[in-house]
Amino acid sequence: MLNVDTIKNGLVIDHIRSGSGWRIFQWLGLDKAPFCAALIMNVQSKKSGKKDIIKIENAMEIDYSVLGFIDPNICVNVIKDEKIIRKIKMELPDRVQNVFKCRNPRCITQTEHYVTPTFMLVDRAKALYRCEYCDTLYNAGEEGRN
């Protein structure tokens, strides 16, 4: 059995869809961080079968809306003195900017690099987003690669 030490102060990002942990790890810049961070992949989960977990031994600012877009089932646990002091449940954000690029080759964001890729939530039940410029549709969690 793998043993990863407890965190004294920091964050635990839990219930990440299996396979999405590395993308979040990179998006947060943890692969270049000067502090301790652990990515644990394919952990057994009663709810989803398998999941990924990220443990961060550091207080840091995170854009929770982007985490909600990547995977709305994520839960962020804020740790202080080795105890969970706050649980933050993610939800789909109404608007996502500069997280990924539109795949439509005719979209203005493909040719004009000063235009920020922006996507609006159009159907919360289906987790469906629409490009603000060309109306191309995306499902949350399937994109997220910039």
Side-chain angles (χ1 to χ4, degrees):
M1 175 101 185
L2 178 68
N3 184 22
V4 178
D5 285 340
T6 59
I7 292 177
K8 292 183 191 223
N9 296 299
L11 300 172
V12 175
I13 304 172
D14 199 0
H15 302 290
I16 302 169
R17 185 182 321 108
S18 184
S20 296
W22 178 243
R23 186 170 67 203
I24 294 170
F25 199 82
Q26 287 181 306
W27 176 77
L28 292 172
L30 297 173
D31 53 333
K32 297 175 183 85
F35 48 83
C36 185
L39 167 61
I40 308 160
M41 299 178 73
N42 297 316
V43 176
Q44 288 296 101
S45 169
K46 291 177 185 172
K47 289 182 182 178
S48 59
K50 292 193 176 203
K51 66 180 180 179
D52 294 350
I53 300 171
I54 297 174
K55 290 186 168 191
I56 306 165
E57 180 72 54
N58 189 33
M60 62 185 291
E61 294 294 319
I62 293 178
D63 183 350
Y64 294 113
S65 66
V66 175
L67 283 181
F69 172 78
I70 293 171
D71 186 350
N73 297 315
I74 289 175
C75 178
V76 177
N77 298 313
V78 180
I79 312 293
K80 185 165 177 144
D81 298 324
E82 295 184 11
K83 292 186 171 73
I84 298 173
I85 62 166
R86 185 173 167 212
K87 285 186 174 253
I88 305 167
K89 293 279 191 185
M90 297 300 108
E91 59 182 43
L92 291 172
D94 293 329
R95 180 182 171 116
V96 177
Q97 281 190 297
N98 218 16
V99 175
F100 65 96
K101 295 177 182 174
C102 184
R103 65 177 169 243
N104 180 352
R106 294 183 179 172
C107 183
I108 190 171
T109 61
Q110 291 287 341
T111 57
E112 304 298 331
H113 299 289
Y114 62 89
V115 179
T116 303
T118 305
F119 302 86
M120 306 300 291
L121 181 63
V122 292
D123 188 332
R124 190 169 296 279
K126 294 180 181 175
L128 198 61
Y129 283 81
R130 176 185 51 79
C131 175
E132 189 172 76
Y133 302 101
C134 71
D135 295 332
T136 300
L137 296 174
Y138 294 88
N139 282 46
E142 292 178 6
E143 294 302 324
R145 295 174 279 285
N146 202 0

